[in-house]
Amino acid sequence: KSSLRMSASVSAMDFDEILKEIGEFGRYQRVNYLLICLPVLFAAANSLSYVFTAGTPKYRCRVDECDDAYLAEYQTNWLDHAMPGTRDKRGYFTPSDTCMRYAPNSSVNSLQPWQHSENHWTTQVCNPSMFLPEQTQRCEQFVYETGEHTIVQEWQLTCKENAWKLAFVGTTHFAGLVIGTALFGYLADRFGRKHVFLFCTIFMGLTGIGQALAWDYISFLIFALLNAVGTSGVYPLAFIIGVEMVGPRKREMTSIVLNYFYAVGEALVGLTAWMLTDWKHLQLALSIPPIFFIVYFWLVPESVRWLLARNKHEKAVAIIRRAAQVNQRELSLELMASFKQQKLSATDKQHLSSDPEQHQIWASVKQVFASHSLIWRYTLLLLIWAVNAIVFYGLSLNSTNLSGNKYLNFALVCLIEIPGYSLAWLCLRKLGRRLALSGSLFLCAITCAASGYMTSGQNWLIITLFLLGKLGITSSFAIIYTYTAEMMPTVRTFLTYRLHYYLNTFFFQIIRSGGVGVMSTFARFGAMLAPFVPLLGNYYEPLPLLLFGSTSMLAGFLSLSLPETFHKKLPDTVSITKSISP
């Protein structure tokens, strides 16, 4: 037994030594890393495509008394007489209710503009006397602003009673993420990272095409759910395959850069929707390219650690030799001999046959529930996770409601995640966990509340505050992964060297028993509510941003009651966890 433990300890050490010998981030790793990052772009794009495919275009009631029968225009100078609404300083009319108009005055004999000799409306034909402002009525036909075409026009999902259907598309997406995360975690352990990664990527593309070809709202929802299931497996598996072959000193950098690719992929949705205004063309543009990643079957290697866990040492050695050859490095004979002789590593062996540890884990869970202080601490963490998820995704969805170019606004809100991740990395090193988390949440709270109250005024200032809010919540979301992992107790024999697989985070770290996964899953359930938050703006315009600000402020104050874990020994047992004081 002692010799087996020694061999296992050597295994973990030798693999990192081999990575140092072949080059920590040589040509082989750089090419492989870039190939892996490309599907991440499309996974990010597919994860937010519904913002525009199921978005609400600008529309108003059709007024038969005044609108041209064939070429009705969205903006005209008689709209103030025909329906309730407001006109801004630039003369742009916005209806207060897109499905209501003033009742026609039957006592006035109106001449329809398309019957006019000049074949267009005139202010003399459409005048205030033709309508009764004190009486409103519901309309059944609509005039849309030129250009954007979404599922709203496709299946007539207009008016307030159908708004929930559009928001429910986002909720369906997050439900698919929950299903896919659990499903592909198991499949990747069983059948290999590369094969499941390729399956997820191609499945994402095929189901995305299915969305574009959907024949009704229900079929669109089904394909949206399946698309999210496939999308959920792309990023975490890309993290493993792309980062695990990188040397210890370069892992943190490459894991952060992978999130940069994800942010760029999200921003591409807005820019692509700007160019392709038809929802079907947009969905096809984001879904067809991933199918071509099938060539990765011959280009991308399998996870070396998974091969070792499955005792496929020859294939693992072949990948190591290939990497050394491409990097123009030579492996020492002693190190390779030691590497070849190793059997199943202790850490992966525990993952494949973890029945003894499961009893110890359940024993730790029982101890947690027996401690009121730990229950309170983990309840706070659950609330903070939920706030992070709702605000993070809610701000992305709400960005299209800002004044100005909604496509550009959306792209900027996604790209601000890049400095957000960098801010988290910096704050974690300089401020510690507690101040970094609370400070990020306070930044989000203050800027969201400020931009919510500034419903009118300088557009650039409102957007700047909004972006700072997204910056803060991005930093907070990144920090909470590390913070939670460090507070979670674990069984001593259950520490594992596996990469951060089940979670969408950029930190390369040891997983703490699975408690972080519970928090992350809970956050995804919270994120299901995010698509409905922008609907609150129909009742009070600043309400969504005020809600984001108030909940972030509450989470910030709650985080101050958590213990600091920076430069402290990670808890191996529940008793040690209890001893960490705030």
Side-chain angles (χ1 to χ4, degrees):
K1 290 183 179 179
S2 60
S3 60
L4 179 61
R5 285 195 295 269
M6 183 178 298
S7 175
S9 64
V10 172
S11 173
M13 178 190 69
D14 282 353
F15 188 67
D16 276 348
E17 291 297 323
I18 289 177
L19 289 177
K20 292 177 182 178
E21 284 202 16
I22 66 175
E24 295 199 51
F25 198 54
R27 181 182 176 186
Y28 180 86
Q29 289 99 325
R30 290 196 298 269
V31 171
N32 185 57
Y33 182 78
L34 179 61
L35 290 175
I36 289 299
C37 286
L38 295 180
V40 172
L41 288 174
F42 290 96
N46 275 270
S47 70
L48 287 176
S49 63
Y50 67 89
V51 174
F52 295 101
T53 59
T56 304
K58 293 181 178 180
Y59 64 92
R60 62 167 176 84
C61 284
R62 178 180 178 83
V63 182
D64 291 330
E65 296 84 355
C66 299
D67 274 314
D68 190 288
Y70 304 103
L71 298 173
E73 297 180 1
Y74 178 74
Q75 284 290 324
T76 64
N77 59 3
W78 48 261
L79 293 177
D80 308 80
H81 313 318
M83 61 191 68
T86 57
R87 196 177 291 274
D88 61 20
K89 296 178 181 179
R90 297 174 299 173
Y92 192 90
F93 182 85
T94 302
S96 57
D97 191 323
T98 55
C99 295
M100 300 299 292
R101 52 158 291 182
Y102 294 139
N105 189 351
S106 57
S107 61
V108 176
N109 184 17
S110 62
L111 178 66
Q112 291 190 347
W114 55 271
Q115 296 173 326
H116 196 272
S117 59
E118 295 181 1
N119 197 33
H120 62 78
W121 58 266
T122 64
T123 54
Q124 286 76 21
V125 173
C126 295
N127 55 73
S129 63
M130 297 172 55
F131 305 97
L132 302 174
E134 66 277 4
Q135 298 180 21
T136 57
Q137 67 179 36
R138 185 182 176 85
C139 55
E140 300 299 332
Q141 293 183 311
F142 306 93
V143 175
Y144 296 89
E145 190 172 41
T146 305
E148 188 176 11
H149 185 81
T150 73
I151 64 173
V152 172
Q153 295 105 307
E154 192 76 19
W155 299 306
Q156 296 300 307
L157 302 177
T158 53
C159 303
K160 293 181 179 179
E161 63 268 22
N162 287 316
W164 72 270
K165 292 183 179 180
L166 301 176
F168 192 68
V169 175
T171 300
T172 301
H173 170 79
F174 287 110
L177 292 182
V178 173
I179 297 172
T181 300
L183 175 63
F184 292 123
Y186 167 77
L187 294 179
D189 284 341
R190 184 175 178 85
F191 299 107
R193 319 302 194 205
K194 184 181 82 170
H195 294 129
V196 177
F197 173 71
L198 292 178
F199 174 81
C200 289
T201 304
I202 297 171
F203 185 72
M204 174 184 69
L206 293 176
T207 52
I209 295 174
Q211 282 183 267
L213 302 178
W215 52 92
D216 58 15
Y217 173 74
I218 299 299
S219 61
F220 180 84
L221 273 186
I222 294 173
F223 282 115
L225 176 70
L226 295 176
N227 181 258
V229 170
T231 302
S232 67
V234 176
Y235 175 92
L237 287 169
F239 190 100
I240 289 181
I241 299 172
V243 179
E244 75 161 8
M245 282 293 291
V246 178
R249 291 183 299 175
K250 301 292 184 180
R251 284 182 187 139
E252 188 175 79
M253 178 270 295
T254 53
S255 56
I256 293 175
V257 171
L258 190 63
N259 280 266
Y260 293 169
F261 272 88
Y262 199 91
V264 171
E266 291 175 327
L268 286 177
V269 179
L271 300 179
T272 307
W274 196 356
M275 295 183 291
L276 303 175
T277 54
D278 186 281
W279 72 275
K280 292 184 178 180
H281 297 160
L282 171 62
Q283 190 62 53
L284 289 173
L286 301 177
S287 302
I288 292 177
I291 297 177
F292 293 98
F293 288 122
I294 192 172
V295 299
Y296 278 23
F297 182 82
W298 297 276
L299 297 178
V300 175
E302 178 56 271
S303 163
V304 174
R305 296 188 188 279
W306 183 83
L307 291 173
L308 292 175
R310 292 291 176 176
N311 276 329
K312 298 182 179 181
H313 292 272
E314 292 184 1
K315 292 183 178 180
V317 171
I319 294 174
I320 295 296
R321 289 187 180 278
R322 173 61 179 166
Q325 180 183 1
V326 173
N327 292 345
Q328 297 181 345
R329 297 290 190 93
E330 291 186 5
L331 296 172
S332 64
L333 296 177
E334 295 82 6
L335 199 56
M336 279 305 297
S338 173
F339 182 74
K340 287 181 179 180
Q341 293 172 359
Q342 289 162 13
K343 301 299 182 183
L344 190 62
S345 68
T347 52
D348 288 318
K349 189 173 184 179
Q350 288 165 358
H351 174 65
L352 295 173
S353 57
S354 57
D355 289 339
E357 286 78 11
Q358 291 296 329
H359 296 294
Q360 300 181 53
I361 293 170
W362 280 112
S364 295
V365 170
K366 292 179 180 179
Q367 293 180 46
V368 168
F369 281 103
S371 170
H372 296 293
S373 61
L374 290 183
I375 291 177
W376 171 246
R377 185 177 298 172
Y378 296 150
T379 300
L380 292 183
L381 284 173
L382 286 173
L383 292 174
I384 295 171
W385 272 87
V387 169
N388 273 276
I390 293 174
V391 176
F392 180 86
Y393 293 109
L395 286 176
S396 295
L397 301 178
N398 206 61
S399 63
T400 56
N401 295 330
L402 295 173
S403 57
N405 188 315
K406 68 177 183 179
Y407 305 105
L408 183 58
N409 290 340
F410 179 84
L412 291 174
V413 168
C414 294
L415 290 175
I416 200 66
E417 294 177 17
I418 294 177
Y421 291 128
S422 303
L423 177 65
W425 178 72
L426 180 64
C427 290
L428 281 170
R429 292 183 167 220
K430 302 295 184 181
L431 302 179
R433 292 10 178 178
R434 182 168 54 189
L435 287 180
L437 178 61
S438 59
S440 298
L441 288 167
F442 287 145
L443 173 63
C444 176
I446 295 171
T447 52
C448 282
S451 60
Y453 277 115
M454 295 182 62
T455 54
S456 61
Q458 295 293 335
N459 185 45
W460 67 268
L461 182 57
I462 297 174
I463 294 177
T464 300
L465 291 171
F466 193 94
L467 291 175
L468 288 174
K470 183 63 182 295
L471 175 77
I473 200 63
T474 302
S475 174
S476 172
F477 216 167
I479 292 168
I480 193 66
Y481 276 101
T482 297
Y483 200 7
T484 303
E486 291 178 347
M487 271 192 288
M488 285 293 174
T490 183
V491 181
R492 291 183 184 273
T493 58
F494 196 65
L495 287 175
T496 165
Y497 192 73
R498 296 178 64 207
L499 285 163
H500 207 331
Y501 171 47
Y502 295 104
L503 308 172
N504 295 347
T505 180
F506 60 81
F507 294 104
F508 179 84
Q509 57 179 322
I510 293 175
I511 306 297
R512 307 294 293 180
S513 80
V516 183
V518 175
M519 301 289 177
S520 179
T521 302
F522 185 82
R524 291 186 187 275
F525 281 109
M528 293 182 187
L529 301 175
F532 288 91
V533 176
L535 299 182
L536 298 176
N538 296 330
Y539 303 97
Y540 181 52
E541 187 176 354
L543 188 55
L545 287 173
L546 295 180
L547 179 63
F548 294 147
S550 59
T551 53
S552 298
M553 183 67 71
L554 175 62
F557 281 117
L558 291 177
S559 66
L560 291 175
S561 63
L562 295 174
E564 179 58 75
T565 59
F566 189 44
H567 287 161
K568 292 189 177 181
K569 183 181 183 296
L570 299 184
D572 286 339
T573 62
V574 174
S575 59
I576 296 178
T577 305
K578 292 163 66 176
S579 65
I580 300 178
S581 58

